[in-house]
Amino acid sequence: ELMTGYTMLRNGGVGNGGQPWVLRWSSRIRLTWLSFTLFIILVFFPLIAHYYLTTIDDADDAGKRIFGPRTGNELCEVKHVQDLCRIRESVSEELLQLEAKRQELNSEIAKLNLKIEACKKSIENAKQDLLQLKNVISQTEHSYKELMAQNQPKLSLPIRLLPEKDDATFPLPKSNRNCRLHNCFDYSRCPLTSGFPVYVYNSDDYPFGSSLDPLIKQAFEATVRTNVYVTENANIACVYIILVGEMQEPVMPKPTELEQQLHSLPYWRTDGHNHLIINLSRKSETQNFIYNISTGRAMVAQSTFYDVQYRPGFDIVVSPLVHAMSEPNFLEIPPQVPVKRKYLFSFQGEKIESLKSSLQEVRSFEEEIEGNAPADYDDRIITTLKAVQDSKLDFVLVEFTCKNQPKASLPTEWALCGERDDRLELLKQSTFALIITPGDTHLVISAGCAMRLFEALEVGAIPVVLGEQVQLPYNDVIRWNEAALIIPKPRITEVHFLLRSISDNDLLAMRRQGRFLWETYFSTSDNVFSTVLAIIRTRIQIPAAPIREETAVEIPHRSGKAAGTDPNMADNGDLDLGPVETEPPYASPKYLRNFTLTAMDIYRNWNSAPGPFHLFPYTPFDPVLPSEAKFLGSGTGFRPIGGGAGGSGKEFQAALGGNVPREQFTVVMLTYEREEVLMNSLERLNGLPYLNKVVVVWNSPKLPSEDLLWPDIGVPIMVVRTEKNSLNNRFLPWDEIETEAILSIDDDAHLRHDEIMFGFRVWREARDRIVGFPGRYHAWDVPHQSWLYNSNYSCELSMVLTGAAFFHKYYAYLYSYVMPQAIRDMVDEYINCEDIAMNFLVSHLTRKPPIKVTSRWTFRCPGCPQALSHDDSHFHERHKCINFFVKVYGYMPLLYTQFRVDSVLFKTRLPHDKTKCFKFI
């Protein structure tokens, strides 16, 4: 029903009762009433409420007002409102302060902007001034060069001499005996700048080549292949060399045949000028087949000469070639100490022609003095020596009859007895070895005498040569009186007294010099051949060829990280250590003395006591660079650049002083896979005065990290790659080292700049010494009869560790190329002892101890990773190294010293427990 009604209403139809309009009217009435009611409530009720409240606030009692406006103090009496008030006041105060600051900053910004504009103008003006200064400097340099060119003579290479035609036009001397360099040598083939090229004939191309001793020929050919002077271009050769001996007896050619073959050599040029005929002897049997051959103007080098055959200053007396194809074993050579041996002197030999008469017709010395002087002193020698042996004042051994068949010899020559090993065993027990020259005074030297001299020097027996007329090997360039005693035969009765009167120090010095001569000029075929060439080259005053340097293979690396300043390194007080090099590094001054050395210093370089100049038989002087020889401690002859001009304090500190030009030094730092430690050490070098460059020897097969950023210390850093991990790489003469001074330093060394500079100053005053910081010494272990290495604190030392030391680059060549290979091999075996080996070498050459500077005894940086020296086996290996090196050298070359250098101009921190040591200033 409801639904039906609702439907009817919507349709406007008639509902039940028929009244639709009533319903519509009632709905409209209800909506109107509802709207009116809401209007009354919303309009009149707020007005009534406002009026009521206003009426209440108008009451006389102000304290009872509730809704009326109140003062600020009254409002703040409410607790939560008080907090809001305080916040408002604080914020207002801060806003006022910020506003004041803003205004102040705006004022400062305005002032700074004005200053910036002024600076920009100043920079522009400075740039203009700098440009003008550069122009002035450039003009000044140009003017200086012009003045120098006007006031100095122009030096250039000499005009090259040209050789004559193939047929020599100058006449032969009246006899071959009169041949000398000025009349038998063609200088036009050997200009000073030629480099001394030598052409060597191949003996196998000629008939006599089949008669040569195979060992001699093989050793000679091997030496020729490695010699720096040998050339295959005969057209430019200065000297032509042909090997003709030693020949085998059964197949020896006749003298006429050999002479014809020599004269048919393609470059003989009718008279053989500029030719050298070499006749080497490996045995004591003398061969002098060249005596009956016309050699023309050719020079002759052999071990046997008659006086009518030998031409002083032209021919060469060579030593026998005993070790033809084998290197001498240094460990088999007896030590040089003890100085005194079992026998005071010894001699074994037999003289076939005169032995019988000498034994049967013995005359006293007084009887000979009363009569005519004997032509042959051998009889008196035999008598005197037998008397000394019978007196038993000293143990001597003399035998004038061989137990076995004596070796073949020339007339009046004393033949050798027994085998070589037996003779060496006797000489090892002899302090002196007697060498009796042939009774025939016309025989100036024989292979037998040369063999006796060779064997005596080899085992350390000091040669005593009876016969002053003898011409010993290389006698015109070696001062034999420093290694041997040459006594006239008439003084035979005084020989015993003379030998007993020589002190132990002199004996050791002579034995050491003899050992040096044997090792350098006698021991191998290479030494013999190189010495012969060096003699000829020195005679005609041609500089030596340069010794090779190690080519540095650089490892690419990135640099650019600004190096900081270590406060420990900068702690120099008021000291001015010197200028930091801002210009490109410059090399050490090169002294152009090669051409004068050959003429002025021949005997100084060849004949004096063992020194660095002696270790190159083909270069008797400093072999650093061609035409640019630099030498230890050489003076310049003029006021040195940067040298001392007196003064003290600041003036002294600002200049290196001394008598050599201002120079720089190179740091060589060995490292192995310790990148962080290496970077820290490199940064500590920042700002170091007089530093030329840093050569980092990267000893690891693993390359540095690609992202490793190397510090920028103001000088070049060269990272060198090595072929193998070897401590010997520390001392390689790298071609990148352009200074004479080398500071060898470990990658964990921690030295202050003032210490380094003081060490550099001291080294400049002693350029032939090792100058360093940590000292060590050696000691003799009595119970074990061996040498010990000691690193304890001491006021006496004999070594300076090369982990922080200055030395001359010259010693890098000697260590790498001249020092016995056995020492370098042991360094590689133990990965240790390279510093001991360098100290041995320098002390052996100079006979001087190293120099220690400052009181520092160690140089390791605090907190660095442990090095190899912390290994337990480190000291045991160093003990073994010292004893092995002593065997190689034959004696202990290290020398003790109590000398230490400190300076009052530098800070020296003395340990409290070391103040008892003397300090030399």
Side-chain angles (χ1 to χ4, degrees):
E1 292 178 357
L2 289 174
M3 291 296 298
T4 304
Y6 176 73
T7 302
M8 291 177 62
L9 285 173
R10 290 187 59 183
N11 296 332
V14 180
N16 294 332
Q19 297 178 356
W21 58 273
V22 176
L23 293 175
R24 288 193 298 271
W25 184 84
S26 61
S27 296
R28 293 174 180 172
I29 291 297
R30 285 195 297 269
L31 290 174
T32 301
W33 174 250
L34 179 60
S35 298
F36 181 77
T37 303
L38 290 174
F39 176 78
I40 293 299
I41 292 173
L42 294 175
V43 173
F44 288 98
F45 181 78
L47 294 175
I48 296 172
H50 179 267
Y51 176 78
Y52 175 76
L53 292 174
T54 302
T55 304
I56 294 175
D57 285 341
D58 289 338
D60 296 333
D61 191 358
K64 295 181 180 179
R65 286 182 297 177
I66 300 175
F67 299 100
R70 298 175 182 268
T71 64
N73 293 332
E74 293 177 348
L75 185 63
C76 290
E77 292 178 357
V78 184
K79 184 176 182 180
H80 67 278
V81 177
Q82 289 178 355
D83 294 338
L84 295 176
C85 290
R86 284 194 298 271
I87 292 172
R88 184 188 66 183
E89 293 176 357
S90 176
V91 170
S92 298
E93 184 177 356
E94 289 180 358
L95 289 175
L96 292 175
Q97 293 177 355
L98 291 175
E99 178 64 20
K101 288 183 178 180
R102 186 184 68 81
Q103 294 178 359
E104 182 179 357
L105 291 176
N106 288 334
S107 176
E108 291 181 359
I109 290 173
K111 293 179 180 179
L112 291 176
N113 288 331
L114 294 177
K115 289 183 179 180
I116 290 174
E117 294 297 328
C119 290
K120 288 181 179 180
K121 294 180 180 180
S122 299
I123 292 174
E124 293 296 329
N125 295 333
K127 288 182 178 180
Q128 295 294 331
D129 295 341
L130 179 61
L131 182 61
Q132 293 178 1
L133 288 175
K134 287 183 177 180
N135 294 333
V136 171
I137 292 174
S138 178
Q139 294 175 1
T140 304
E141 291 179 349
H142 182 70
S143 301
Y144 174 76
K145 292 179 180 179
E146 289 182 349
L147 290 175
M148 293 295 293
Q150 293 175 3
N151 297 326
Q152 287 187 352
K154 295 182 179 180
L155 298 179
S156 60
L157 293 177
I159 299 176
R160 184 178 180 88
L161 299 176
L162 299 177
E164 300 290 342
K165 298 179 180 179
D166 291 346
D167 295 332
T169 57
F170 49 95
L172 286 170
K174 294 181 180 180
S175 67
N176 292 337
R177 181 181 174 88
N178 296 328
C179 251
R180 299 296 185 270
L181 289 176
H182 69 276
N183 58 4
C184 290
F185 190 85
D186 185 6
Y187 280 91
S188 64
R189 300 203 64 87
C190 307
L192 291 176
T193 57
S194 63
F196 191 60
V198 174
Y199 179 79
V200 180
Y201 292 99
N202 186 1
S203 300
D204 291 334
D205 296 340
Y206 306 97
F208 64 84
S210 59
S211 304
L212 294 176
D213 184 297
L215 290 179
I216 293 286
K217 182 168 63 174
Q218 187 177 358
F220 183 78
E221 292 174 351
T223 300
V224 167
R225 285 194 297 267
T226 59
N227 194 276
V228 295
Y229 296 106
V230 175
T231 179
E232 296 181 357
N233 187 357
N235 295 323
I236 65 171
C238 169
V239 175
Y240 301 84
I241 297 179
I242 182 67
L243 177 68
V244 299
E246 180 176 61
M247 289 192 177
Q248 297 173 313
E249 292 287 348
V251 293
M252 282 184 59
K254 296 180 180 179
T256 54
E257 296 176 356
L258 181 59
E259 178 179 334
Q260 183 180 1
Q261 295 175 24
L262 290 176
H263 291 182
S264 63
L265 293 174
Y267 304 100
W268 187 262
R269 298 185 179 91
T270 70
D271 59 4
H273 61 273
N274 291 47
H275 275 65
L276 173 65
I277 302 173
I278 298 182
N279 178 21
L280 299 176
S281 58
R282 188 171 60 91
K283 306 173 185 177
S284 61
E285 293 86 349
T286 301
Q287 292 181 347
N288 192 19
F289 54 85
I290 300 181
Y291 179 77
N292 298 318
I293 294 177
S294 174
T295 57
R297 286 191 171 99
M299 296 173 286
V300 178
Q302 62 179 8
S303 300
T304 302
F305 280 103
Y306 282 97
D307 56 357
V308 297
Q309 179 188 13
Y310 179 67
R311 297 164 291 184
F314 193 74
D315 294 328
I316 302 174
V317 179
V318 299
S319 61
L321 187 59
V322 178
H323 300 286
M325 290 303 297
S326 62
E327 294 288 336
N329 188 350
F330 292 100
L331 299 180
E332 295 180 357
I333 299 175
Q336 300 183 32
V337 290
V339 177
K340 300 291 182 61
R341 297 179 177 178
K342 178 180 179 180
Y343 299 111
L344 178 64
F345 62 83
S346 65
F347 177 81
Q348 286 181 325
E350 183 172 343
K351 189 175 179 182
I352 303 299
E353 289 79 4
S354 61
L355 182 58
K356 182 176 180 179
S357 62
S358 299
L359 294 177
Q360 292 179 353
E361 301 176 2
V362 177
R363 296 184 298 169
S364 66
F365 177 70
E366 290 77 6
E367 293 174 347
E368 291 185 347
I369 292 298
E370 293 176 356
N372 296 327
D376 190 348
Y377 288 94
D378 290 351
D379 294 342
R380 187 193 303 174
I381 292 174
I382 294 173
T383 303
T384 304
L385 296 182
K386 281 186 172 294
V388 174
Q389 185 178 28
D390 295 338
S391 67
K392 297 183 179 179
L393 294 176
D394 292 290
F395 284 105
V396 299
L397 191 151
V398 291
E399 296 178 353
F400 301 104
T401 304
C402 295
K403 298 177 181 179
N404 300 321
Q405 182 67 26
K407 305 296 182 182
S409 61
L410 293 174
T412 73
E413 180 186 14
W414 288 91
L416 293 171
C417 295
E419 298 299 328
R420 168 177 159 80
D421 293 339
D422 298 333
R423 298 194 299 271
L424 292 180
E425 287 300 322
L426 175 60
L427 292 174
K428 289 178 182 179
Q429 305 177 60
S430 305
T431 305
F432 296 94
L434 296 184
I435 301 174
I436 305 176
T437 59
D440 185 359
T441 57
H442 298 291
L443 186 60
V444 294
I445 186 63
S446 65
C449 287
M451 183 64 70
R452 289 182 184 272
L453 179 67
F454 180 94
E455 293 176 351
L457 295 176
E458 181 178 5
V459 297
I462 300 174
V464 180
V465 182
L466 297 178
E468 78 284 1
Q469 81 284 356
V470 69
Q471 299 290 333
L472 296 180
Y474 321 124
N475 62 325
D476 56 343
V477 292
I478 291 180
R479 190 173 298 170
W480 278 105
N481 59 354
E482 296 182 354
L485 294 174
I486 303 176
I487 304 174
K489 286 185 177 180
R491 294 190 180 275
I492 182 59
T493 57
E494 302 173 320
V495 168
H496 186 208
F497 165 78
L498 178 61
L499 300 185
R500 295 188 67 183
S501 65
I502 300 177
S503 66
D504 289 354
N505 288 337
D506 292 337
L507 288 176
L508 183 58
M510 296 180 70
R511 183 173 294 164
R512 185 169 55 244
Q513 178 72 358
R515 169 76 175 269
F516 162 76
L517 294 177
W518 180 81
E519 290 180 357
T520 308
Y521 307 121
F522 292 74
S523 57
T524 64
S525 59
D526 182 67
N527 289 345
V528 172
F529 183 68
S530 298
T531 303
V532 170
L533 294 185
I535 291 175
I536 300 175
R537 181 183 48 74
T538 306
R539 285 176 178 175
I540 61 178
Q541 301 180 359
I542 293 183
I547 189 171
R548 69 182 180 92
E549 293 187 302
E550 290 293 326
T551 303
V553 180
E554 185 177 7
I555 299 177
H557 60 281
R558 292 190 304 153
S559 61
K561 182 178 68 172
T565 301
D566 191 335
N568 294 325
M569 299 295 101
D571 184 18
N572 299 318
D574 298 331
L575 297 178
D576 182 9
L577 300 181
V580 178
E581 307 298 349
T582 57
E583 298 296 328
Y586 58 90
S588 294
K590 298 178 176 60
Y591 303 99
L592 307 180
R593 294 199 60 197
N594 274 344
F595 298 101
T596 55
L597 276 172
T598 52
M600 296 170 54
D601 299 331
I602 293 177
Y603 288 97
R604 170 189 171 187
N605 297 329
W606 280 70
N607 307 323
S608 56
F613 296 114
H614 288 75
L615 297 187
F616 295 86
Y618 50 89
T619 49
F621 46 84
D622 192 336
V624 177
L625 292 173
S627 302
E628 296 177 342
K630 299 174 287 185
F631 44 164
L632 310 180
S634 60
T636 60
F638 56 87
R639 187 66 173 267
I641 301 173
S648 60
K650 184 177 181 180
E651 292 80 5
F652 174 79
Q653 298 165 13
L656 281 175
N659 298 310
V660 292
R662 177 173 174 266
E663 60 184 328
Q664 298 176 328
F665 62 90
T666 301
V667 168
V668 176
M669 185 176 295
L670 188 72
T671 186
Y672 185 90
E673 295 184 3
R674 296 199 294 181
E675 294 181 352
E676 182 178 358
V677 174
L678 174 64
M679 295 302 108
N680 293 333
S681 296
L682 292 175
E683 288 186 5
R684 286 194 291 269
L685 299 177
N686 184 35
L688 181 61
Y690 302 108
L691 179 59
N692 181 275
K693 70 174 63 171
V694 179
V695 176
V696 177
V697 181
W698 191 265
N699 225 21
S700 171
K702 180 182 177 182
L703 296 180
S705 304
E706 295 182 358
D707 58 347
L708 182 63
L709 192 61
W710 296 69
D712 182 5
I713 61 175
V715 298
I717 297 179
M718 173 71 66
V719 185
V720 178
R721 185 175 186 175
T722 58
E723 296 181 356
K724 64 176 182 178
N725 177 21
S726 172
L727 293 180
N728 293 316
N729 296 332
R730 178 196 298 273
F731 302 124
L732 285 174
W734 302 105
D735 56 358
E736 290 295 331
I737 301 176
E738 299 177 324
T739 61
E740 296 183 31
I742 295 177
L743 173 57
S744 174
I745 191 169
D746 286 344
D747 58 359
D748 58 355
H750 196 273
L751 296 174
R752 303 193 310 272
H753 286 188
D754 62 301
E755 293 175 324
I756 296 176
M757 285 310 305
F758 179 55
F760 184 45
R761 289 176 180 268
V762 174
W763 176 86
R764 281 169 53 86
E765 302 292 334
R767 306 171 74 86
D768 61 337
R769 314 273 283 274
I770 299 178
V771 177
F773 300 89
R776 301 292 186 265
Y777 66 96
H778 67 288
W780 179 251
D781 184 7
V782 176
H784 298 88
Q785 293 293 294
S786 62
W787 293 101
L788 295 177
Y789 171 84
N790 202 315
S791 63
N792 296 331
Y793 290 91
S794 171
C795 294
E796 190 171 58
L797 60 101
S798 60
M799 292 175 282
V800 166
L801 300 186
T802 55
F806 285 93
F807 63 90
H808 199 285
K809 187 182 179 182
Y810 193 92
Y811 294 123
Y813 295 98
L814 305 186
Y815 184 98
S816 302
Y817 304 142
V818 178
M819 188 179 68
Q821 180 63 37
I823 296 179
R824 293 190 292 272
D825 292 341
M826 190 169 195
V827 171
D828 288 336
E829 178 183 354
Y830 285 146
I831 316 179
N832 199 342
C833 307
E834 85 286 356
D835 48 356
I836 301 178
M838 177 59 82
N839 279 271
F840 265 69
L841 174 66
V842 177
S843 296
H844 169 66
L845 297 175
T846 63
R847 303 307 303 139
K848 297 177 184 178
I851 296 179
K852 172 176 169 53
V853 293
T854 76
S855 61
R856 180 187 287 267
W857 203 258
T858 183
F859 55 87
R860 302 295 181 189
C861 62
C864 289
Q866 287 190 351
L868 295 175
S869 58
H870 293 275
D871 195 332
D872 294 337
S873 62
H874 175 74
F875 286 95
H876 297 289
E877 293 173 350
R878 294 174 85 81
H879 299 330
K880 295 179 181 178
C881 287
I882 286 185
N883 288 280
F884 178 79
F885 297 165
V886 168
K887 289 182 180 180
V888 174
Y889 282 97
Y891 75 111
M892 168 55 75
L894 298 179
L895 298 173
Y896 293 106
T897 180
Q898 297 179 2
F899 182 81
R900 194 188 83 207
V901 181
D902 290 332
S903 175
V904 295
L905 298 178
F906 290 85
K907 296 179 180 179
T908 302
R909 298 171 173 83
L910 289 174
H912 296 292
D913 57 342
K914 298 298 176 294
T915 56
K916 294 182 180 179
C917 293
F918 290 101
K919 180 174 68 172
F920 297 87
I921 299 178

